[in-house]
Amino acid sequence: MSSDDTTSYPVEFLNSLYLSVVPSHKLELKVGVPVLLMFNFYAPTLYNGTLLRITELGRHIVKATILTGEAKGDNVLIPRIPIIPNNLPFNFKQMQFPLKVAFSTTINKSQGQTLKVAGIHLGSPCFSHGQLYVACSRVSESQNLHVYAERKKSFNIVYRSILQ
């Protein structure tokens, strides 16, 4: 953001940075791809974690359909926005879509959603009370739930003191 810093950091270095709050510098999208919104726009309609499906792509605007939440089914426009990370020793600004491709989701992000089909990967056991229940209860029919667990076993963490 400062003209003094423009030659201090090569573009390749800036592009290699991975920050959890900043979308990747290269975002490859196409129509039909599910994406996750990474910033709050207009709560309760568009908020961090809203799942969307791309319907049209433009250079500065993406048109998408909301897949979760109160506004499920609504069409929205997502603009490129200036993103300024604040956890680096220098400041820079990128114009980016606040989106991340979302072919999978965490158990915590899936809470409250209803899915037609779900696959659960339990490479390691759930680590919190009720997580396995939340994961398994996302689908309405058991034949649409597919679970992978190492050695075909996992553990459901239950804190009995919570239930008393």
Side-chain angles (χ1 to χ4, degrees), residues 9-134:
Y9 303 99
V11 173
E12 295 80 17
F13 167 73
L14 296 174
N15 290 345
S16 72
L17 295 175
Y18 176 77
L19 305 166
S20 61
V21 295
V22 177
S24 173
H25 85 284
K26 186 175 182 181
L27 181 63
E28 294 185 27
L29 298 174
K30 63 183 190 179
V31 173
V33 169
V35 292
L36 201 61
L37 188 62
M38 296 181 66
F39 287 93
N40 292 324
F41 274 116
Y42 308 105
T45 307
L46 291 173
Y47 54 89
N48 184 11
T50 301
L51 191 61
L52 308 158
R53 180 177 297 119
I54 303 294
T55 56
E56 289 181 37
L57 293 169
R59 184 163 170 78
H60 300 286
I61 296 277
V62 169
K63 187 175 181 182
T65 302
I66 299 175
L67 299 177
T68 59
E70 289 184 21
K72 184 177 180 178
D74 289 358
N75 292 319
V76 293
L77 299 175
I78 307 294
R80 278 187 168 182
I81 62 170
I83 297 176
I84 305 169
N86 59 0
N87 53 348
L88 295 171
F90 54 90
N91 291 324
F92 72 97
K93 175 173 72 172
Q94 299 183 79
M95 294 297 289
Q96 291 181 286
F97 292 113
L99 302 171
K100 186 183 278 190
V101 176
F103 287 110
S104 63
T105 188
T106 64
I107 292 172
N108 291 336
K109 289 265 187 196
S110 72
Q111 193 164 359
Q113 294 184 30
T114 302
L115 306 171
K116 291 179 182 174
V117 177
I120 302 169
H121 184 276
L122 296 171
S124 58
C126 293
F127 60 87
S128 172
H129 174 83
Q131 274 194 320
L132 187 58
Y133 168 78
V134 168

